[in-house]
Amino acid sequence: PNPKFQIRGPEIERRQKTMNTPSVINDPRFRAGCKLVKTGKASCAIELFAALVEESRNQFGEASLNSAASYYEYGHALFRAACRRDANANANANASKNENENDNKAGKVKYLDRKPRAVENNDATVEVEGLETCISGESSQVTKGVLQKEEGKQKQINSAGPQQQMDQNEGDDVQLALELMENSWAILDEYVQSHNHDSTNTKGALPELNDSSNPTNNSNDNNYDKERNLYLNWAKDQRPRILLGIGDVFDHLNKYGDAVDAYTRAIPLREQFIPQKQKGTHCRTASGPSIQFLKRRRQLVEVLVLVAETLLKCPNGADVVTSESKVLLVKDLERVDFARGYYDKAKEELQETVFLMGKLASHDIIAEKEDICFIATMLMGVGTTLAEIDEQQGGILEDSSTAKKSKI
């Protein structure tokens, strides 16, 4: 056969990545928006995702998987942009007051430093060059309608002062981001729950290419999905990412109980991608170690660290409960112990991850190394906080013992 037309390894991998994903993910605007978020330009991606949300809702339905994918990316871009504005505002305020900028800025920059989960799972390959063309040239009439709505909203708040106006904008954007993410989660979770039990009945029924290759499927992707579990693996992969995004928003809003709830719900969804470990041996896959498996391990460590970190942020003297349903998650007296348990688990999983990283040293894992090092830094921060708590408790016990001896 002519080598020019042979399907080589990278091409097979590319087709496998795009084969079972909703068609909106392959839209150039979707990929460009993900790239913008990844490069710290989330505010530029908002317009793209707003247009895709409207188009997905009109073409596929409000509860379609295409809409769910667009909901999350739109919410994620709004949240990232709000965090960026918040960080910049704090930096400017601290600089004008000549205060310790680094200390005051650290907490707000966390979401900016952490790798965008929307990007790392979609593996967007659009180059930064030419994104302006994609934004201006491909924005539809729907996008113009979104911009007109934004202009109308802007006119309503122009009477407010600059700081009040900025705070109101940020609060609205963060709340909208949370609603979009929760809508995305509800759609994907319902899809997985309703399709997971009969996935074995549709083996061999999947087409070779995604639904975008057949225009007749694009008009009714929900019915098509119910007949064939076309997007089940994709949906399973997205659920923990969405929960972590929701947890980040709650953490930003200082609703730590809700954040802990979201993060802990993501743990079993991350663990499902990790094979059970044999006693006395390091975990291995049937085909040997891979970069994808390294990524899965790193993601599991991340969510464990987030749970421990957020538990330690919860206020002393109060149980950890969800804000609306008032579900008790952890009692106040057990909070630090629970955080320590997640911290120890994260350390154990990080050791496994580092071991696997060593076995893959000959591969191109620079990006994963950076992410693993960042998570290791987060873990060290949790360990430092726990050590400080132990020191404070030790001092209290020592003072109490001294007081008792003096009375005697």
Side-chain angles (χ1 to χ4, degrees):
N2 189 337
K4 181 178 180 180
F5 298 102
Q6 285 184 337
I7 299 179
R8 302 184 182 278
E11 175 64 14
I12 294 175
E13 183 179 354
R14 185 193 68 79
R15 291 182 62 179
Q16 287 175 343
K17 284 182 178 180
T18 60
M19 183 167 57
N20 298 331
T21 59
S23 56
V24 70
I25 292 179
N26 297 319
D27 189 296
R29 291 167 296 170
F30 190 98
R31 297 164 61 199
C34 289
K35 190 68 176 181
L36 286 167
V37 173
K38 184 177 181 179
T39 55
K41 302 175 183 177
S43 59
C44 300
I46 291 175
E47 177 186 338
L48 295 175
F49 289 129
L52 288 171
V53 165
E54 294 295 330
E55 293 175 8
S56 296
R57 286 160 59 97
N58 292 334
Q59 184 175 1
F60 301 105
E62 295 182 359
S64 67
L65 295 184
N66 280 281
S67 295
S70 301
Y71 289 154
Y72 180 79
E73 306 304 344
Y74 184 25
H76 185 252
L78 285 169
F79 176 57
R80 291 260 170 182
C83 290
R84 175 67 66 182
R85 290 195 302 269
D86 191 16
N88 290 340
N90 287 343
N92 293 335
N94 293 336
S96 64
K97 295 178 182 179
N98 195 25
E99 294 178 350
N100 190 336
E101 180 177 342
N102 291 331
D103 290 342
N104 292 326
K105 186 179 173 183
K108 298 296 183 182
V109 178
K110 181 183 74 169
Y111 310 106
L112 308 178
D113 291 340
R114 195 183 306 161
K115 189 171 184 178
R117 300 184 186 90
V119 177
E120 72 172 358
N121 279 276
N122 289 324
D123 293 326
T125 56
V126 177
E127 296 297 331
V128 177
E129 297 178 2
L131 287 181
E132 291 78 6
T133 303
C134 182
I135 295 173
S136 59
E138 294 194 15
S139 51
S140 63
Q141 295 298 322
V142 178
T143 308
K144 295 179 182 179
V146 172
L147 292 177
Q148 289 173 357
K149 292 179 182 178
E150 293 295 328
E151 290 174 1
K153 187 193 303 181
Q154 185 67 28
K155 290 179 181 179
Q156 295 177 1
I157 61 176
N158 274 343
S159 58
Q163 184 62 40
Q164 182 181 354
Q165 179 176 326
M166 183 178 66
D167 293 343
Q168 182 175 349
N169 284 339
E170 181 183 337
D172 292 343
D173 284 350
V174 173
Q175 190 59 42
L176 176 58
L178 179 61
E179 293 174 3
L180 288 163
M181 291 179 182
E182 289 180 333
N183 287 341
S184 180
W185 160 257
I187 294 170
L188 289 184
D189 189 54
E190 191 278 334
Y191 176 80
V192 172
Q193 297 296 336
S194 61
H195 289 70
N196 199 30
H197 67 281
D198 59 357
S199 61
T200 56
N201 298 330
T202 58
K203 288 184 177 179
L206 301 182
E208 292 185 0
L209 296 176
N210 63 2
D211 61 344
S212 62
S213 65
N214 188 350
T216 60
N217 288 338
N218 288 342
S219 61
N220 198 351
D221 70 338
N222 266 359
N223 291 336
Y224 186 70
D225 294 345
K226 291 177 181 179
E227 296 175 0
R228 306 181 182 186
N229 297 317
L230 185 61
Y231 305 127
L232 185 57
N233 290 335
W234 172 82
K236 287 182 178 181
D237 192 55
Q238 300 307 299
R239 287 195 305 165
R241 179 174 65 91
I242 294 173
L243 283 176
L244 263 65
I246 292 173
D248 283 352
V249 176
F250 279 130
D251 185 41
H252 179 79
L253 296 172
N254 297 330
K255 295 183 177 181
Y256 300 124
D258 295 307
V260 170
D261 180 49
Y263 292 146
T264 51
R265 288 161 60 195
I267 291 176
L269 302 182
R270 288 293 195 209
E271 290 178 332
Q272 68 180 341
F273 296 108
I274 308 297
Q276 291 297 318
K277 184 174 58 174
Q278 299 291 334
K279 289 185 178 181
T281 61
H282 288 278
C283 186
R284 302 172 185 272
T285 58
S287 57
S290 66
I291 297 177
Q292 180 67 13
F293 184 50
L294 179 65
K295 174 182 174 181
R296 297 294 191 191
R297 279 210 163 279
R298 185 256 303 168
Q299 290 175 333
L300 177 57
V301 177
E302 177 188 34
V303 67
L304 292 170
V305 175
L306 288 173
V307 174
E309 182 183 62
T310 310
L311 280 171
L312 295 176
K313 290 181 181 179
C314 296
N316 294 324
D319 295 335
V320 182
V321 298
T322 56
S323 59
E324 293 187 3
S325 58
K326 303 301 180 184
V327 174
L328 175 63
L329 301 176
V330 181
K331 293 182 178 180
D332 176 52
L333 296 177
E334 300 173 343
R335 180 176 58 86
V336 175
D337 290 336
F338 268 81
R340 197 184 308 277
Y342 283 107
Y343 168 75
D344 292 337
K345 178 65 173 176
K347 281 201 306 182
E348 178 183 340
E349 293 295 337
L350 181 61
Q351 290 175 354
E352 293 285 347
T353 305
V354 172
F355 175 80
L356 180 60
M357 185 172 65
K359 297 185 66 174
L360 294 169
S362 59
H363 295 70
D364 183 12
I365 56 172
I366 295 177
E368 280 299 322
K369 280 185 177 179
E370 293 176 353
D371 292 334
I372 291 170
C373 289
F374 181 76
I375 293 173
T377 303
M378 292 175 60
L379 187 64
M380 290 174 59
V382 174
T384 300
T385 302
L386 287 171
E388 292 174 352
I389 292 174
D390 291 341
E391 184 177 351
Q392 292 174 359
Q393 291 179 345
I396 294 173
L397 292 175
E398 184 178 351
D399 292 342
S400 176
S401 176
T402 303
K404 288 181 180 179
K405 288 181 180 179
S406 63
K407 289 181 180 180
I408 295 174

